[in-house]
Amino acid sequence: MSKYIFRRRPKDGNNYIFYQNMNTGYTWIIADDGYDTIKYINLWELPDSEYHPIEPHTGLVDKKGKMIFEGDILTSHLYLYQDNGYRSYDGIVCWSDETVSFFILLKCVNPDIRGISHGLSHSFGEFGEPSTIYEVIDSIGETDML
């Protein structure tokens, strides 16, 4: 049986991230310092005013072994993401109800290029194995999509 893992990050900038495994019903807290404690919290009952939306885990990890969630911002060594050592695009992990899959939405981050690929998307497997290509560099806020 597979695990369904979700997270919900506090809006206050706190490093704590709440994960919930839907198979067991357990919720636990993990901080960047490695602290790990079982808590019994229902992610859906946390106040929307204090927490970002619930973000599902993609089932994938980046090249550093970090779990990739919806809303994560990715970078890569590949062309399009970088050109001549300069960051051109970031990828935002999104969910499609239409295709029932996660995809990567490109966002131009270099003001010195035309950004003609801004807003285009591609699948995770299009350029190869995600665990060797992508690195999670941040997570978006509620209004940072494009």
Side-chain angles (χ1 to χ4, degrees):
M1 182 178 286
S2 62
K3 296 179 180 179
Y4 301 99
I5 299 175
F6 297 80
R7 76 175 176 195
R8 193 155 194 200
R9 298 174 292 114
K11 290 181 180 178
D12 65 5
N14 188 324
N15 287 333
Y16 291 98
I17 297 175
F18 298 92
Y19 294 97
Q20 187 158 18
N21 179 329
M22 299 307 293
N23 285 345
T24 64
Y26 291 129
T27 299
W28 62 99
I29 299 173
I30 299 178
D32 291 340
D33 63 2
Y35 173 75
D36 187 359
T37 302
I38 297 290
K39 299 284 183 185
Y40 296 96
I41 301 169
N42 185 335
L43 296 186
W44 283 261
E45 292 177 359
L46 294 172
D48 290 339
S49 61
E50 296 176 29
Y51 293 88
H52 290 285
I54 294 170
E55 301 164 327
H57 180 239
T58 63
L60 303 169
V61 295
D62 73 359
K63 63 183 185 177
K64 293 186 175 181
K66 185 173 183 178
M67 291 190 288
I68 301 173
F69 286 85
E70 179 181 10
D72 279 346
I73 299 173
L74 307 176
T75 191
S76 176
H77 64 280
L78 298 174
Y79 172 75
L80 191 59
Y81 286 89
Q82 293 189 24
D83 188 18
N84 293 323
Y86 294 99
R87 215 166 105 212
S88 300
Y89 289 89
D90 286 343
I92 301 172
V93 179
C94 300
W95 173 258
S96 169
D97 286 333
E98 187 176 310
T99 62
V100 193
S101 63
F102 290 99
F103 65 96
I104 300 172
L105 181 68
L106 295 173
K107 180 178 181 179
C108 183
V109 294
N110 184 342
D112 296 329
I113 63 171
R114 287 182 54 206
I116 60 174
S117 296
H118 180 80
L120 297 180
S121 64
H122 62 85
S123 67
F124 267 99
E126 188 168 329
F127 299 114
E129 184 62 37
S131 63
T132 63
I133 294 174
Y134 300 109
E135 181 179 347
V136 176
I137 57 172
D138 203 355
S139 293
I140 63 168
E142 287 182 58
T143 58
D144 295 338
M145 280 301 280
L146 281 177

